[in-house]
Amino acid sequence: MQKNEDAIVDMYEKLPAPFGLVRYGVAPDHPEVKNCEEKFEEVAANPRFNFIGNVAVGEDVPLSSLRPHYHAILFAYGASEDRELGIPGESLKGVYSARAFVGWYNGLPEYSDLNPILDRGAEAVVIGQGNVALDVARILLTDIDTLKSTDIAEHALESLSRSKVRRVEVVGRRGPMQAAFTLKEVRELMNLRGVDFQPVDPALLPLDASSLPRTPKRRVQLLSKGSPNSLDCASSIDRSWALRFLLSPGSFECDPSDPNYVSQVRFKHTEIRGPNCYSSDARVEVTERDALLPASVAFRSVGYKSKPLPGIQDFGVIFDHDLGIIPNDNHGRVISPLAGPGSQTAGHIPGLYCAGWVKRGPTGVIASTMEDAFITADVIVQDWAGRALFLDSTVDSTDRLGWDNLRKVLNRAGLRPTNWSDWKRIDQSETERGRMMGKKREKVTSIADMLKVLDG
C-alpha cells in the first residue's frame, strides 16, 4: 500500500483475532518479540486495508470464489501441522507435539482443551533441539510466579502450577555444533533461577575454538561454561535440564503399570560421519546401541509443515508435499511446471503469490519472516508496474471489487465475518480481564467466546 497508492488489501484470517504466530506462537515470557504488532496496527489503520476474520478460506468459503473479485491472491497461511516421528508409541497418552503444547499455553482455540498430563512424574523428554524445543523446556521449568505476570493462558498456568516435572532432557540426533537452537535461547535456560544445567560432554566440543568463526566459537564457549546456577547452594536447585546429543528416537514405551501412558523413550545412539565432525552440516549414522530415557511426559519438536488449501489445485498449483511449500521462484511468484512460456517447463501462475513458511518452509524467526513478506510485496508491485498478467486479466481490468463484493457471498452463506473494530473490542475485553488478574491480558480461548464478546 505504501508503494502503490491504488492498492487495496483484504486479509482473510480463520480466527476472529489477528497476529497469527506472534499471538499464538511466541512464548509468553518473550513479550519483546511481540513488538511487531505495533507495525501491524499501523497497517490496519489504513483505510485501504480490510481485516476479514472468522473466515477459513477453502473451508468456509471456496478458494475459487475469490478469483472473480481480486487481481492477485497472496498465500501467507504458514505451517498448520507438525511433523510426526513415525515411530511406535507416538499415540500413547503423555506424548504431545510441541506445536500443540505451545498453542495450548498461548491460548490457541484449536488446542485450548489439550490438557497435557504434567503430574505423573518428574522426568520430561523433548525430542528436537530447535528454539521451539527450548521454549517447551523453559515453560516447563520456569517458576510459576514468573509466568503469572505474562499473558500465558490461565488454564495453562493452573496446570503448570500442579506440574511434577523437575527434569527436562532436550534430545537431538546430531551433535552440539549441528543443533538448531540459538545461543540466546540456551543462555536464557541456563540462567533460569533455581534450575541447574548438566554440562555437555567435552568430547563433543572442539578442543580449540580459537580459530572458529564468531558464532560457533561463542557456542563452544557457552556450552563449555555451562550454567552459573551450578555454583549456587545445592539447596536452592530443585529443577534441572540437559542437552542430549547423538540420539535418534526409536520408540515411546508404555508404563507397565498402565499401558496407555508413556513411561520412557528408547533411542539409538548415532555417530557423526565425515571429515569434520564439528561442521554445521555434518551427518550422522544410526548405530545398534540403545539408550533409554525415563519420561512421564514427552514432546516431539521436529518441525512444522504446511498443507495445501482446499481448492488450490484448481488454480494450477501443484503443492510440494515433500517440502511442504507452494512452488515459487524464491521471490514469491507461485510457479507451475505447466505454466512456462514456449519451451520453458515452468512459469509464473498469473496473480498468485506466496510468503512466509508456505513459501520457503518453516525456518527462521519472525523478523526474517517479515523480511520475506516484504520481498514478495515488492515483487507484486513490480509486476503490476510492469503490466504483467494477473488473475484472469491484465492490469487494465478494473472490475475487481474485492471484499465489497465478496461479503455478499459470505453473508448469503450464513457466515459471520469479523472486522478490525470487532478485534479491538475483543482486545479490550482481554486487556480488562488481564488487568483484574495482574497481567497484560487474558486471552479468550474459544471462537464462540470471542463472538460472545461481540454480542455484548
Side-chain angles (χ1 to χ4, degrees):
M1 292 187 293
Q2 286 180 338
K3 297 183 178 181
N4 186 321
E5 296 181 355
D6 296 322
I8 298 174
V9 176
D10 297 340
M11 187 180 82
Y12 291 84
E13 163 61 49
K14 70 177 182 179
L15 295 176
F19 304 139
L21 183 63
V22 177
R23 177 175 165 90
Y24 294 117
V26 174
D29 57 344
H30 285 175
E32 72 284 352
V33 181
K34 302 184 182 185
N35 290 338
C36 57
E37 288 183 4
E38 297 175 2
K39 180 63 177 177
F40 300 157
E41 292 273 3
E42 180 184 326
V43 171
N46 192 309
R48 291 183 287 119
F49 173 86
N50 294 305
F51 172 74
I52 302 109
N54 200 34
V55 175
V57 174
E59 298 174 15
D60 295 333
V61 57
L63 183 57
S64 59
S65 66
L66 272 64
R67 182 194 290 268
H69 305 288
Y70 293 96
H71 293 97
I73 296 175
L74 167 62
F75 300 105
Y77 57 86
S80 59
E81 295 184 348
D82 67 285
R83 295 188 182 276
E84 297 183 349
L85 292 166
I87 60 176
E90 201 161 2
S91 61
L92 285 172
K93 292 181 179 180
V95 178
Y96 305 98
S97 75
R99 178 180 181 273
F101 186 68
V102 170
W104 170 75
Y105 66 62
N106 275 324
L108 179 64
E110 180 182 358
Y111 294 117
S112 61
D113 296 329
L114 183 69
N115 298 324
I117 303 166
L118 304 178
D119 56 0
R120 281 181 58 84
E123 303 281 352
V125 170
V126 183
I127 299 174
Q129 292 183 328
N131 284 346
V132 174
L134 296 192
D135 280 346
V136 170
R138 194 178 65 256
I139 293 298
L140 288 171
L141 294 171
T142 296
D143 183 81
I144 198 69
D145 289 332
T146 300
L147 293 175
K148 284 180 179 178
S149 62
T150 72
D151 68 351
I152 190 171
E154 190 65 18
H155 61 244
L157 198 61
E158 293 175 2
S159 182
L160 288 165
S161 70
R162 299 190 300 270
S163 171
K164 294 182 180 178
V165 173
R166 293 295 178 267
R167 178 171 177 78
V168 180
E169 308 266 5
V170 184
V171 186
R173 295 180 70 252
R174 299 194 292 168
M177 304 307 291
Q178 295 85 39
F181 55 68
T182 59
L183 296 184
K184 176 180 178 296
E185 298 289 334
V186 174
R187 186 179 294 111
E188 189 173 0
L189 255 171
M190 285 185 173
N191 290 329
L192 272 186
R193 186 180 62 186
V195 179
D196 190 22
F197 171 70
Q198 182 173 330
V200 173
D201 183 352
L204 298 176
L205 299 170
L207 290 175
D208 182 11
S210 61
S211 61
L212 294 175
R214 181 172 181 268
T215 299
K217 180 192 297 185
R218 291 176 60 206
R219 174 173 292 220
V220 172
Q221 292 169 343
L222 178 63
L223 295 179
S224 299
K225 183 178 180 181
S227 171
N229 295 338
S230 301
L231 302 177
D232 292 345
C233 176
S235 62
S236 67
I237 302 293
D238 65 345
R239 287 154 291 154
S240 65
W241 73 289
L243 288 165
R244 297 286 188 183
F245 300 103
L246 301 178
L247 292 174
S248 178
S251 62
F252 297 99
E253 303 194 350
C254 66
D255 185 339
S257 64
D258 192 337
N260 293 316
Y261 291 87
V262 67
S263 68
Q264 61 184 5
V265 187
R266 183 177 297 275
F267 294 87
K268 292 287 188 182
H269 286 275
T270 65
E271 295 179 351
I272 298 179
R273 301 300 187 190
N276 185 358
C277 63
Y278 302 124
S279 170
S280 61
D281 59 356
R283 297 298 176 184
V284 297
E285 290 184 3
V286 179
T287 71
E288 293 302 314
R289 292 185 297 124
D290 281 351
L292 287 173
L293 292 180
S296 58
V297 63
F299 303 88
R300 63 172 183 268
S301 183
V302 292
Y304 298 164
K305 62 180 180 180
S306 300
K307 62 180 182 180
L309 283 181
I312 198 171
Q313 69 279 359
D314 297 334
F315 284 74
V317 177
I318 302 176
F319 192 86
D320 189 326
H321 290 274
D322 291 334
L323 297 178
I325 64 170
I326 295 175
N328 65 89
D329 66 353
N330 294 326
H331 300 292
R333 298 181 184 91
V334 176
I335 60 175
S336 168
L338 308 177
S343 61
Q344 296 185 25
T345 57
H348 177 209
I349 302 176
L352 297 188
Y353 299 85
C354 57
W357 285 5
V358 78
K359 170 185 173 183
R360 56 187 174 83
T363 60
V365 295
I366 287 175
S368 59
T369 302
M370 289 180 65
E371 183 62 32
D372 178 80
F374 296 151
I375 292 172
T376 298
D378 284 341
V379 164
I380 296 174
V381 172
Q382 292 169 13
D383 286 354
W384 187 263
R387 306 184 69 80
L389 289 175
F390 279 74
L391 283 176
D392 300 333
S393 68
T394 66
V395 295
D396 294 325
S397 180
T398 58
D399 59 348
R400 306 299 167 106
L401 300 178
W403 176 235
D404 286 343
N405 269 356
L406 196 58
R407 82 168 76 220
K408 303 171 186 175
V409 177
L410 269 61
N411 289 336
R412 286 197 298 269
L415 300 178
R416 185 179 178 180
T418 59
N419 56 35
W420 196 257
S421 295
D422 293 331
W423 154 243
K424 296 305 291 183
R425 291 172 61 191
I426 296 171
D427 178 44
Q428 181 181 6
S429 175
E430 291 183 343
T431 303
E432 290 174 353
R433 290 172 39 164
R435 184 168 59 250
M436 289 187 291
M437 296 177 169
K439 56 200 293 191
K440 181 178 180 180
R441 75 169 60 239
E442 174 59 25
K443 293 173 187 169
V444 182
T445 59
S446 80
I447 293 176
D449 286 343
M450 291 183 193
L451 298 180
K452 285 181 183 178
V453 171
L454 302 181
D455 291 334

